[in-house]
């Protein structure tokens, strides 16, 4: 369970490979959420926070996206085969949704429909061949014995 202090810390932090903020006041496309989950998992895990402005100082706007977090969590599991907790938090009377994306396991990479994604500034991009080879080689054979 996220505390108000943790949420405030994330709101004050710079957006990066492990933190993504989206205003999503009127809603957010589920397929876009899936893509961001894949990219963030591939970069070590992190959080997607909906209902907050992108630029600092961030403003909590509130969101009506994904009215049923449990259903969204189930949909993410169905699409990606991983448990991705979705948490609803009230911050100063406004609804914020926090998607807690776990890190990929060593030697693996998440993909959606054959697309391996990463963060690229404010957007998403495909992982390159060299990046994928490096990820898959992380758990290669151990010849140390």
């Amino acid at each position: 369970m996220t505390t108000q202090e943790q949420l405030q810390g994330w709101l004050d932090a710079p957006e990066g490979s492990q933190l993504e903020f989206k205003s999503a006041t009127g809603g957010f496309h589920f397929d876009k959420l899936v893509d961001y989950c894949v990219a963030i998992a591939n970069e070590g895990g992190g959080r997607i926070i909906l209902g907050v402005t992108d630029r600092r100082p961030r403003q909590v706007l509130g969101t009506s996206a994904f009215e049923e977090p449990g259903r969204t969590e189930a949909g993410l599991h169905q699409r990606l085969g991983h448990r991705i907790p979705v948490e609803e938090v009230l911050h100063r009377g406004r609804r914020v949704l926090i998607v807690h994306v776990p890190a990929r396991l060593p030697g693996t990479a998440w993909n959606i429909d054959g697309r391996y994604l990463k963060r690229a500034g404010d957007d998403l991009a495909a992982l390159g061949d060299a990046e994928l080879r490096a990820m898959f080689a992380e758990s290669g054979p151990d010849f140390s014995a």
Side-chain angles (χ1 to χ4, degrees):
M1 194 72 162
T2 300
T3 67
Q4 292 295 315
E5 293 76 25
Q6 285 173 311
L7 179 57
Q8 189 60 55
W10 295 328
L11 294 174
D12 295 338
E15 189 173 70
S17 62
Q18 297 179 319
L19 262 180
E20 177 68 38
F21 297 94
K22 297 289 181 190
S23 59
T25 52
F28 197 74
H29 199 278
F30 182 74
D31 288 337
K32 196 70 171 167
L33 180 64
V34 169
D35 288 350
Y36 272 99
C37 286
V38 168
I40 289 173
N42 284 337
E43 295 193 20
R47 288 161 188 82
I48 303 163
I49 301 176
L50 303 177
V52 176
T53 58
D54 213 17
R55 305 268 182 245
R56 288 190 291 179
R58 292 197 177 80
Q59 304 296 312
V60 175
L61 306 171
T63 183
S64 61
F66 309 115
E67 295 277 338
E68 297 180 38
R71 188 170 159 215
T72 304
E73 195 172 312
L76 289 170
H77 186 272
Q78 182 179 10
R79 288 287 300 277
L80 295 170
H82 300 280
R83 183 173 183 276
I84 303 168
V86 178
E87 179 183 13
E88 188 176 62
V89 175
L90 281 180
H91 185 73
R92 298 185 182 141
R94 295 198 170 136
R95 180 179 180 264
V96 174
L97 214 58
I98 304 170
V99 181
H100 299 273
V101 183
R104 65 178 176 81
L105 295 174
T108 69
W110 286 22
N111 76 86
I112 183 66
D113 301 325
R115 294 178 302 123
Y116 294 86
L117 301 171
K118 66 178 178 179
R119 297 278 313 279
D122 287 340
D123 208 358
L124 301 176
L127 283 166
D129 289 340
E131 292 168 304
L132 279 172
R133 275 194 303 278
M135 286 175 157
F136 294 139
E138 290 170 348
S139 65
D142 181 5
F143 298 110
S144 61

